Amino acid sequence: MAASVPDTSTICLFDVDGTLTPSRQRIHQDVEDFLQELRKKVLVGLVGGSDFVKIAEQMGNPPDLLERFDYIFAENGLVAYKGSTQIGQEDLKKYVGDELLQRLINFALGYMSKLVLPCKRGTFVEFRSSMINLCPVGRSCSQEEREEFGRFDQEHKVREKFVEALRAEFPDAGLKFAIGGQISIDVFPIGWDKRFCLPFLEKNGIKTIHFFGDKTAKGGNDHEIFEDHRTIGHTVINPQDTVRQLKKLYFS
């Protein structure tokens, strides 16, 4: 029997944290295997807020990672790959300048220094090529500490209040402040959200874009692409829910 040919005019595009993997953890083998089965039907791509190194870690660091997905968009698509070919790269420092970056970092560090949390660790500001990631608990926290902060944040709205303070301090800076993952806030120029990846797909003749994400509510870093008229948005609650919804779409 001839192998099935995927529909190359359709793509399933996935957020990473909370959608394909537990937050900042490795993808489970059953989900990974399922995505490879899905590739026999449609194109499959990733769009994460993290840099490429972190996305690769969460995918298990396979040496053929770029060949295992049709598209990988790191940092919301500001670092973009089609198969093994890099097709896009932006530079935050050049775009906004060091004066604004320093004002932002100084304000964020000052704000976070006054927070009283269950714990604080290290790496409160992470500079990526196309965004800044702010983390009140510190990105070097353990998984247990990450989950503890997540529960604390749900109750006390630490990140929501931080975003409000950032918006009030930088109302005309042209920056977007989005709650991402379990412990942090992404800061990037307006328009550099996950929608940035869509023109790459359109240019390559993709007509139908299904997007799956867990932070699709307003203020989350999946919201804009979820709501975009060019996508069919799907809200998920965890990787198992993602697989369940896909089975209903393509395997029922």
Side-chain angles (χ1 to χ4, degrees), residues 80-142:
Y81 291 89
K82 179 185 179 184
S84 58
T85 303
Q86 186 167 4
I87 56 176
Q89 173 78 56
E90 297 294 334
D91 188 322
L92 176 67
K93 185 174 68 174
K94 288 182 181 178
Y95 190 84
V96 304
D98 264 317
E99 181 181 352
L100 176 56
L101 289 177
Q102 288 197 48
R103 281 179 50 216
L104 170 68
I105 292 168
N106 288 345
F107 176 81
L109 288 172
Y111 183 94
M112 288 187 286
S113 74
K114 299 177 179 66
L115 294 175
V116 178
L117 307 174
C119 70
K120 286 185 179 179
R121 297 300 177 250
T123 314
F124 303 99
V125 177
E126 184 175 83
F127 190 90
R128 301 173 183 170
S129 62
S130 63
M131 69 173 69
I132 288 179
N133 182 267
L134 305 175
C135 182
V137 67
R139 296 197 65 88
S140 64
C141 63
S142 68

Side-chain angles (χ1 to χ4, degrees), residues 210-234:
H210 289 274
F211 172 76
F212 296 80
D214 68 317
K215 293 290 190 297
T216 58
K218 190 170 184 180
N221 65 353
D222 296 327
H223 178 70
E224 288 80 9
I225 190 171
F226 172 81
E227 291 250 307
D228 194 278
H229 71 277
R230 294 167 289 182
T231 69
I232 301 167
H234 305 265

Side-chain angles (χ1 to χ4, degrees), residues 45-58:
L46 308 177
V47 55
S50 295
D51 60 31
F52 184 83
V53 170
K54 288 187 178 64
I55 290 175
E57 287 173 355
Q58 290 183 261

Side-chain angles (χ1 to χ4, degrees), residues 236-250:
V236 303
I237 58 175
N238 54 39
Q240 292 70 38
D241 186 39
T242 303
V243 171
R244 181 189 63 79
Q245 293 192 36
L246 287 164
K247 283 181 177 177
K248 189 174 179 180
L249 265 177
Y250 291 107

Side-chain angles (χ1 to χ4, degrees), residues 93-222:
K93 185 174 68 174
K94 288 182 181 178
Y95 190 84
V96 304
D98 264 317
E99 181 181 352
L100 176 56
L101 289 177
Q102 288 197 48
R103 281 179 50 216
L104 170 68
I105 292 168
N106 288 345
F107 176 81
L109 288 172
Y111 183 94
M112 288 187 286
S113 74
K114 299 177 179 66
L115 294 175
V116 178
L117 307 174
C119 70
K120 286 185 179 179
R121 297 300 177 250
T123 314
F124 303 99
V125 177
E126 184 175 83
F127 190 90
R128 301 173 183 170
S129 62
S130 63
M131 69 173 69
I132 288 179
N133 182 267
L134 305 175
C135 182
V137 67
R139 296 197 65 88
S140 64
C141 63
S142 68
Q143 185 61 36
E144 182 181 357
E145 291 162 345
R146 168 187 286 268
E147 291 170 3
E148 183 182 23
F149 173 79
R151 293 189 293 269
F152 186 87
D153 185 46
Q154 282 187 335
E155 180 180 354
H156 297 281
K157 310 299 181 189
V158 174
R159 290 184 295 168
E160 284 186 27
K161 293 172 184 175
F162 193 0
V163 164
E164 290 171 6
L166 288 161
R167 287 173 179 158
E169 184 69 18
F170 300 95
D172 303 312
L175 295 174
K176 175 77 176 178
F177 307 99
I179 293 172
Q182 194 175 22
I183 59 174
S184 60
I185 295 166
D186 293 330
V187 184
F188 45 83
I190 291 172
W192 283 23
D193 53 63
K194 289 182 179 177
R195 292 174 296 179
F196 198 89
C197 74
L198 298 180
F200 292 112
L201 303 176
E202 294 178 305
K203 186 170 66 175
N204 284 290
I206 295 173
K207 307 296 184 187
T208 304
I209 303 169
H210 289 274
F211 172 76
F212 296 80
D214 68 317
K215 293 290 190 297
T216 58
K218 190 170 184 180
N221 65 353
D222 296 327

